[in-house]
Amino acid sequence: MSDEYLAVSRCERSGRHAILACDSHTAWVYLHAPGSDEGSTGPVQARCFAFNLCELIDRADVKNYRPAPPPIALGFGSDLAVCREPAEHKWQLVWSRDGNAILLVRDEEPWCLTSTSEPDGHSKAIRAKGPWGDPWSETVYSTTDWDSPAPEFC
């Protein structure tokens, strides 16, 4: 399967794009720098691991998936890391008021977030800090000024 976009959003205030991209093994949220015009994206400035479409892999197998992002490995992925049927879920991207952070919502539940100040992101699919990012942070989520209407899912 080639990359599929499960959600795409553009922030009018910042000119940034956010994309939930899914390939045959993983899904990631990418936060882009402003593009040169409304229809273009700048380079990726932040990212966040969203989920695996397959079981967690052994750490030694990470190299077998390069150069694509590898599935999250055992010891790093939480018990929420696998989502075999992403189309069965409702995905939504919510911007921070300043347009420098993006929150991925899964079935009306905050799922992962990333920003220009937290470029590796925080995800409920991550158990331990590592190359996939950081575990979910309720503090980062609750102290970010989310766009109106503010997501009040917790």
Side-chain angles (χ1 to χ4, degrees):
M1 171 164 101
S2 62
D3 280 1
E4 176 182 349
Y5 298 152
L6 299 176
V8 176
S9 181
R10 181 177 183 276
C11 179
E12 292 296 323
R13 286 176 304 283
S14 68
R16 296 178 186 286
H17 282 85
I19 299 170
L20 172 59
C22 184
D23 65 19
S24 58
H25 303 292
T26 63
W28 291 78
V29 174
Y30 295 102
L31 179 62
H32 293 262
S36 58
D37 59 54
E38 188 174 314
S40 68
T41 63
V44 172
Q45 289 189 312
R47 67 190 178 102
C48 188
F49 175 77
F51 57 84
N52 276 5
L53 278 90
C54 60
E55 291 301 316
L56 281 64
I57 63 172
D58 290 331
R59 290 180 205 182
D61 292 334
V62 166
K63 64 185 177 303
N64 298 333
Y65 292 88
R66 295 292 184 200
I72 200 165
L74 293 164
F76 292 98
S78 76
D79 57 351
L80 300 173
V82 177
C83 177
R84 293 194 185 283
E85 299 294 334
E88 292 181 5
H89 299 278
K90 179 183 175 191
W91 304 100
Q92 178 186 3
L93 293 166
V94 177
W95 289 97
S96 63
R97 287 197 193 275
D98 67 4
N100 293 321
I102 193 73
L103 170 70
L104 175 65
V105 176
R106 174 183 162 169
D107 300 329
E108 300 186 16
E109 177 184 342
W111 192 255
C112 65
L113 60 90
T114 193
S115 68
T116 55
S117 62
E118 299 268 347
D120 290 331
H122 297 272
S123 175
K124 290 185 177 178
I126 298 173
R127 173 186 319 266
K129 181 177 180 63
W132 292 268
D134 294 317
W136 179 254
S137 170
E138 192 63 31
T139 301
V140 173
Y141 168 70
S142 64
T143 59
T144 301
D145 187 13
W146 298 107
D147 208 355
S148 183
E152 297 178 13
F153 306 107
C154 296

